[in-house]
């Protein structure tokens, strides 16, 4: 990137710093980022971008991308050419700052990603979409809460007629305004949604008498408290037995879901979802006490990156977990650096984050060391988030760690060294 170009941009009124960053929408590409003076007025921002559009041509060189602007935590882009009349992204970023409910806007793999309070995601999505015309290119925008418990995501393309479904989103916004505990997700153009009510917002009987408007969506999941089920079987799922189960599990800290699926028009209890050790241990004890049947228990630490998609479970256990399996599940449940565990009679799998802490690695390997020496432990590193596949790190066979013969190019050799050293100590 030409130094004189950055020096010129950095010297403009209202610019604190001009720098080069890697584009969030294309990791192979670079962008110019202008960090603007805190609190710079909208008129001053527009005057600045207007000057850049007018005078940038002589300094353009081989730079053909948009320029990204950061202002008080809100990011938007504009194209530095005098023929560009509207800058949709920048207009929306400025609207978000004026509106004040959103706390930040950045860029994702396709479009802008807005962070807002869970109770306001739908209302903010409506305002964000209306703040500027639909851009020419296909984009995917998202408004979400920081914990991703509430998400509105939509594809935008005038040519494919993709846009935010304002009627459905307004309905969700109205529910959020009426019931402060409503969270969930909307996804367009798929027209899929999850609408989850807090048990403190209304009674279950009141919800069953006036359920959400399923006709607004192709697929709708309804939630009340910890109970989540497709709208097609939600009412049928709430038998007296399941109500009692939900009541007892809701008392357990760390239990986040009693999940049902639609099995040919009939409700099927799919799993109990927990987020930590307390949830797992409590769910096992509760199910053993009041339900003599196999029910999967899934440990899920965070929602999927994709609205409505089943999240990746760290492990799947059950009330029938015994001995080493139970101890290992309980031991790793609170270890943030462990991303997946599977335990079988002859082999087990342990997947870890590449930046796992020393403490988590030690605890995880000590737990796995309780397995019989005849069980081979396959070790791998996760790629993060919802990315499919893992990177092999080797295996533990007959109490000996054997690194992967061909060292993965994306793995820091220090991780292999840490594994070898920590296993030697943990397996004594």
């Amino acid at each position: 990137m030409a130094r004189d170009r950055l020096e010129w941009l950095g010297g403009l009124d209202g610019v604190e710093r001009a720098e080069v960053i890697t584009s969030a929408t294309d990791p192979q590409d670079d962008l110019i980022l202008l960090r603007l003076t805190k609190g710079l007025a909208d008129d001053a921002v527009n005057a600045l971008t207007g000057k850049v559009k007018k005078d940038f041509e002589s300094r353009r060189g081989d730079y053909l991308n948009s320029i990204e602007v950061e202002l008080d935590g809100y990011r938007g882009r504009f194209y530095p050419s005098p023929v560009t009349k509207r800058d949709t992204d920048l207009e929306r970023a400025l609207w978000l700052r004026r509106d004040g409910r959103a706390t930040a806007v950045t860029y994702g793999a396709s479009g802008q990603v807005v962070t807002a309070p869970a109770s306001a995601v739908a209302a903010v999505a409506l305002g964000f979409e209306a703040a500027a015309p639909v851009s020419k290119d296909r984009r995917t925008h998202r408004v979400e809460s920081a914990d991703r418990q509430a998400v509105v995501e939509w594809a935008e393309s005038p040519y494919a007629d993709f846009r935010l479904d304002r009627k459905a989103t307004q309905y969700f916004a109205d529910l959020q305004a009426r019931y402060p505990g409503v969270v969930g997700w909307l996804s367009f153009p798929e027209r899929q949604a999850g609408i989850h009510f807090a048990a403190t917002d209304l009674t279950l009987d009141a919800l069953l008498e006036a359920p959400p408007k399923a006709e607004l969506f192709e697929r709708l999941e309804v939630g009340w408290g910890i109970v989540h089920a497709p709208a097609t079987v939600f009412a049928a799922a709430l038998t007296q037995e399941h109500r009692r189960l939900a009541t007892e599990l809701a008392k357990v800290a760390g239990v986040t879901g009693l999940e049902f699926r639609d099995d040919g028009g009939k409700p099927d209890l799919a799993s109990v979802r927990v987020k930590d050790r307390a949830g797992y241990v409590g769910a096992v004890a509760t199910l053993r006490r009041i339900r003599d049947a196999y029910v999967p228990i899934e440990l899920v630490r965070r929602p999927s990156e994709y609205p409505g998609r089943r999240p990746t479970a760290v492990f799947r256990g059950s009330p029938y977990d015994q001995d080493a399996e139970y101890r290992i599940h309980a031991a790793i449940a609170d270890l943030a650096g462990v991303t997946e565990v599977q335990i079988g009679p002859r082999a087990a799998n342990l997947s870890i984050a590449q930046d796992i802490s020393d403490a988590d690695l030690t605890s995880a390997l000590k737990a796995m060391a309780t397995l019989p020496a005849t069980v081979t432990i396959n070790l791998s590193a996760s790629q993060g988030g919802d990315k499919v596949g893992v990177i092999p790190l080797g295996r533990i066979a007959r109490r000996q760690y054997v690194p992967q013969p061909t060292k993965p190019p994306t793995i820091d050799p220090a991780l292999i060294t840490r594994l070898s050293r920590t296993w030697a100590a943990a397996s004594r």
Side-chain angles (χ1 to χ4, degrees):
M1 191 71 69
R3 181 180 298 273
D4 64 336
R5 181 190 301 144
L6 289 178
E7 290 178 350
W8 174 73
L9 288 167
L12 295 175
D13 289 343
V15 177
E16 283 194 350
R17 187 166 72 253
E19 60 189 278
V20 177
I21 62 169
T22 300
S23 171
T25 52
D26 184 359
Q28 305 301 316
D29 209 354
D30 289 336
L31 288 179
I32 293 174
L33 171 65
L34 303 183
R35 298 186 186 275
L36 304 189
T37 304
K38 186 176 180 179
L40 191 66
D42 287 10
D43 288 346
V45 174
N46 292 327
L48 170 64
T49 57
K51 179 173 180 56
V52 174
K53 289 181 180 183
K54 179 182 177 183
D55 299 337
F56 189 74
E57 198 70 33
S58 61
R59 298 173 172 84
R60 177 180 297 279
D62 58 354
Y63 186 82
L64 301 175
N65 295 327
S66 295
I67 292 177
E68 192 165 311
V69 168
E70 181 188 58
L71 180 61
D72 301 331
Y74 302 89
R75 290 196 179 193
R77 293 175 183 169
F78 70 96
Y79 191 70
S81 169
V83 300
T84 304
K85 302 302 181 184
R86 300 291 296 267
D87 297 296
T88 298
D89 286 11
L90 185 56
E91 289 182 38
R92 286 174 168 169
L94 290 172
W95 178 84
L96 288 168
R97 189 178 65 152
R98 291 194 303 271
D99 178 74
R101 287 173 293 184
T103 57
V105 56
T106 58
Y107 280 88
S110 175
Q112 288 173 284
V113 179
V114 180
T115 304
S119 60
V121 291
V124 169
L126 289 165
F128 174 89
E129 193 261 353
V134 174
S135 61
K136 296 183 296 181
D137 301 323
R138 174 165 177 165
R139 313 279 300 287
T140 299
H141 299 296
R142 188 167 72 243
V143 180
E144 63 185 18
S145 59
D147 60 5
R148 293 191 54 77
Q149 293 300 313
V151 183
V152 179
E153 181 175 285
W154 70 100
E156 181 180 84
S157 170
Y159 303 110
D161 198 27
F162 290 162
R163 60 189 69 243
L164 181 70
D165 185 325
R166 296 190 64 83
K167 182 177 180 181
T169 306
Q170 184 64 61
Y171 175 68
F172 190 73
D174 291 343
L175 287 176
Q176 288 197 305
R178 183 177 180 185
Y179 302 110
V182 168
V183 293
W185 47 271
L186 305 179
S187 180
F188 305 107
E190 297 84 1
R191 296 181 62 236
Q192 298 180 358
I195 301 178
H196 301 164
F197 296 85
T200 53
D201 281 340
L202 75 173
T203 66
L204 178 57
D205 289 337
L207 177 58
L208 293 174
E209 288 179 9
K213 296 179 179 179
E215 65 271 16
L216 291 174
F217 310 98
E218 290 290 336
R219 179 170 71 88
L220 173 64
E221 178 183 272
V222 179
W224 182 83
I226 65 168
V227 178
H228 306 131
T232 51
V233 297
F234 181 78
L238 273 301
T239 63
Q240 288 303 314
E241 178 188 8
H242 289 156
R243 289 190 186 207
R244 181 186 176 218
L245 182 59
T247 298
E248 294 301 313
L249 286 171
K251 298 175 184 177
V252 179
V255 172
T256 58
L258 185 62
E259 310 293 324
F260 292 86
R261 66 184 184 91
D262 186 334
D263 183 14
K266 297 179 180 180
D268 177 56
L269 179 52
S271 69
V272 174
R273 194 166 289 170
V274 302
K275 66 177 182 179
D276 53 23
R277 184 184 188 279
Y280 169 68
V281 172
V284 168
T286 300
L287 289 167
R288 287 176 177 175
R289 176 169 54 86
I290 67 176
R291 184 182 174 89
D292 184 20
Y294 174 82
V295 180
I297 301 174
E298 297 181 319
L299 177 75
V300 174
R301 294 203 179 101
R302 59 186 64 86
S304 170
E305 297 175 7
Y306 305 97
R309 179 178 293 185
R310 182 175 179 170
T312 301
V314 177
F315 65 73
R316 286 174 64 88
S318 82
Y320 297 141
D321 286 354
Q322 298 292 334
D323 303 326
E325 187 175 23
Y326 178 83
R327 290 195 301 272
I328 291 171
H329 285 165
I332 64 93
D334 285 343
L335 304 182
V338 175
T339 57
E340 188 174 14
V341 171
Q342 296 174 328
I343 304 169
R346 295 183 179 84
N349 298 321
L350 173 66
S351 184
I352 60 176
Q354 297 185 43
D355 60 351
I356 186 171
S357 68
D358 288 341
D360 279 7
L361 184 59
T362 299
S363 296
L365 292 181
K366 280 185 176 180
M368 300 303 286
T370 63
L371 290 169
T374 54
V375 176
T376 298
I377 304 171
N378 299 305
L379 301 172
S380 59
S382 66
Q383 299 189 62
D386 289 341
K387 292 180 180 177
V388 177
V390 292
I391 305 169
L393 299 175
R395 69 183 188 280
I396 297 168
R398 297 287 176 181
R399 297 291 183 189
Q400 296 296 315
Y401 172 52
V402 182
Q404 191 72 9
T406 304
K407 289 184 171 54
T410 57
I411 295 295
D412 185 344
L415 178 58
I416 306 298
T417 302
R418 290 172 62 207
L419 274 171
S420 181
R421 183 181 65 247
T422 306
W423 172 254
S427 60
R428 289 172 185 164

